[in-house]
Amino acid sequence: MTSDPAIRLGVAGLGRAFVLTLPSFKADPRVELVACAAPREASREAFLNEFGGSAYASVEELCADPSVEAVYIATPHQMHREHAEAALQAGKHVLVDKPLCVSMIDALAIAETTEKTGRHVIVGPSHSFDLPVLKALELIESGAYGQVRMLHALNYTDFLYRPRRPEELVTDEGGGVVFSQGIHQIDIVRLLGGGMASSLRASAGAWDPQRPTECAYAAHLTFENGAFASLTYSGFAHFDSNEYCGWTGELGHPVDPTGYGGARRALMAVEDHEAEARLKSDRTFGASAALPGGSENEHFGPLIVSCDKADLRLTPQGVWVYGHLEKEFIQVPVGPVPRRGVIDALWAAVRRGCPAIQDARWGAASLEVCHAILTSAREGREVELEHQVPVRRTTQ
Ligand SMILES: NC(=O)c1ccc[n+]([C@@H]2O[C@H](COP(=O)([O-])OP(=O)(O)OC[C@H]3O[C@@H](n4cnc5c(N)ncnc54)[C@H](O)[C@@H]3O)[C@@H](O)[C@H]2O)c1
């Protein structure tokens, strides 16, 4: 254990993302929640009741608080640039939830501000911080299995039918599955494929006129090193690929297969978009019921990485290694901090000065792939990628 003091974290936005990451903050002594910014008074009060510290109505006030060292930005993604730049310019380090932002102009601007201010930006949580993904990266980097040749990632969820704010159903405002969900898959595949994607061809579907944004895509991604990847995602709430993961859900929690159709059924009981947004805010901090307890690692659907000498298959429990003649299972135990990979990266950046792999340039590169999926699908052509960065390791 370290004798360094906990990172004094301020939180911007006390919605669903904060609820999902909070168990990790609470379980990890390396983080102390000292302040928040939230427009809703009820959320601010709930924060003060639970953590003390200070609660502000605006992100600017939060950033002016000298007790805050780093800001976790968990506001809607179209606000990320404004909030990230406010924090950086106030001298704070930034943990910004995925995606980095919506437009490439904003992403590159955040990267420039990061470099000018000399602060650290980490884009996360994202499932690229899941411990089995980090174990697979370690196995690949060991060189024991030769080069990565092919990656296959798929995920079938009910994403589009969970309660949404209206803009979450508008692609240009960052809505749909590509920005919110594709970004996880892209982050993982880029991490294990070496980072330097070169081009992409994709199709995407918006199949429900009531929810007129992308619900699904299939993409073929190539890398400069010759590796290639197939990425498939459906958030259409029919097949649930947790079935392929032993009925372990995204948060590492057990999924009840008898709950089939639950997301669509709950939404059918809602009369209009306002009622739906209210339903979403019922899942916010201070209002939501406890999260299902996760006993396995978080995951983002089945994933197979084919290398020269073995296929690596990631599961919520660890990594299967299928060699030429033998196979073995490498267990990856879950500790008390479900999103430990993210806090490890935050700690390394803030306390040790080691930039995360998933920094602002990395986040911009993954966002570029999201845009490429949409452009390729719209224009029916291959899209070249220009803002890619490699997996950059720094030592602690
Ligand atoms: N990593 C994850 O597990 C995960 C899960 C869900 C969402 N997300 C990401 O988190 C971000 C937020 O999504 P969400 O689903 O939590 O949305 P949400 O609507 O549940 O929460 C957003 C919160 O931001 C607050 N907010 C709005 N404007 C604000 C402002 N100016 N200052 C401070 N707070 C403000 C809202 O009141 C709300 O509580 C998105 O970028 C999304 O992609 C990440």
Side-chain angles (χ1 to χ4, degrees):
M1 238 12 226
T2 170
S3 57
D4 289 327
I7 296 168
R8 296 185 308 278
L9 193 67
V11 182
L14 299 178
R16 188 68 189 158
F18 177 59
V19 168
L20 294 176
T21 309
L22 183 56
S24 304
F25 291 145
K26 279 188 181 172
D28 199 318
R30 294 173 298 176
V31 173
E32 185 189 355
L33 295 176
V34 296
C36 74
R40 291 172 69 245
E41 199 182 338
S43 302
R44 295 197 297 273
E45 268 173 25
F47 183 95
L48 289 174
N49 285 339
E50 191 159 353
F51 305 107
S54 309
Y56 303 102
S58 77
V59 175
E60 292 64 32
E61 290 168 280
L62 172 71
C63 294
D65 183 334
S67 75
V68 172
E69 266 181 291
V71 178
Y72 168 42
I73 296 171
T75 51
H77 25 275
Q78 65 275 21
M79 299 177 183
H80 285 183
R81 176 180 175 180
E82 181 192 333
H83 293 159
E85 292 193 332
L88 289 167
Q89 275 152 2
K92 316 295 184 191
H93 300 290
V94 167
L95 173 66
V96 51
D97 215 310
K98 56 80 215 169
L100 176 57
C101 51
V102 180
S103 79
M104 281 307 289
I105 291 176
D106 286 357
L108 298 174
I110 295 172
E112 272 168 35
T113 307
T114 307
E115 284 149 11
K116 264 189 214 140
T117 55
R119 304 283 90 188
H120 291 284
V121 166
I122 298 164
V123 187
S126 120
H127 283 290
S128 65
F129 289 96
D130 292 349
L131 299 185
V133 174
L134 298 177
K135 172 54 79 180
L137 177 63
E138 189 188 310
L139 294 173
I140 291 165
E141 289 184 333
S142 75
Y145 306 105
Q147 276 187 44
V148 172
R149 301 291 184 181
M150 178 173 81
L151 303 102
H152 184 61
L154 71 84
N155 204 4
Y156 282 66
T157 74
D158 57 11
F159 179 83
L160 202 71
Y161 293 88
R162 297 174 198 158
R164 297 280 158 220
R165 285 177 270 107
E167 69 269 26
E168 289 181 284
L169 300 174
V170 179
T171 306
D172 286 347
E173 293 183 41
V177 301
V178 176
F179 291 112
S180 281
Q181 296 283 277
I183 194 77
H184 285 295
Q185 212 175 37
I186 293 161
D187 254 11
I188 296 169
V189 163
R190 285 190 54 244
L191 188 71
L192 302 181
M196 295 297 292
S198 50
S199 72
L200 173 140
R201 181 73 171 83
S203 298
W207 303 329
D208 181 349
Q210 302 300 315
R211 303 176 88 70
T213 183
E214 290 72 27
C215 62
Y217 62 81
H220 179 81
L221 183 69
T222 56
F223 286 86
E224 276 185 5
N225 60 13
F228 51 91
S230 105
L231 296 83
T232 305
Y233 186 92
S234 168
F236 210 51
H238 286 161
F239 175 59
D240 176 353
S241 54
N242 288 321
E243 187 169 350
Y244 287 176
C245 297
W247 290 113
T248 298
E250 181 178 351
L251 300 176
H253 61 291
V255 172
D256 176 4
T258 65
Y260 186 82
R264 283 179 185 260
R265 210 168 284 122
L267 211 54
M268 280 161 68
V270 161
E271 320 87 64
D272 54 25
H273 285 314
E274 271 176 29
E276 184 177 340
R278 274 199 304 279
L279 193 60
K280 167 141 192 172
S281 66
D282 287 349
R283 286 152 51 99
T284 220
F285 177 66
S288 53
L291 290 175
S295 52
E296 310 291 353
N297 286 289
E298 294 199 3
H299 72 88
F300 202 68
L303 182 81
I304 304 169
V305 186
S306 298
C307 306
D308 290 316
K309 297 182 197 163
D311 281 350
L312 311 181
R313 182 168 71 85
L314 281 64
T315 79
Q317 293 77 31
V319 182
W320 270 106
V321 180
Y322 302 88
H324 291 326
L325 301 175
E326 312 241 322
K327 62 177 189 174
E328 71 167 314
F329 184 67
I330 299 172
Q331 195 146 17
V332 180
V334 199
V337 183
R339 295 185 164 180
R340 196 183 82 211
V342 180
I343 299 180
D344 286 349
L346 184 67
W347 182 262
V350 174
R351 286 283 174 265
R352 302 280 177 268
C354 299
I357 295 171
Q358 294 95 329
D359 64 5
R361 291 277 169 205
W362 177 274
S366 288
L367 183 69
E368 183 187 29
V369 180
C370 292
H371 283 283
I373 290 176
L374 294 171
T375 304
S376 177
R378 208 177 292 129
E379 300 178 9
R381 65 176 176 89
E382 181 98 5
V383 174
E384 303 296 322
L385 300 164
E386 294 169 2
H387 297 286
Q388 297 301 294
V389 290
V391 174
R392 280 186 285 233
R393 281 276 199 193
T394 52
T395 44
Q396 291 187 36

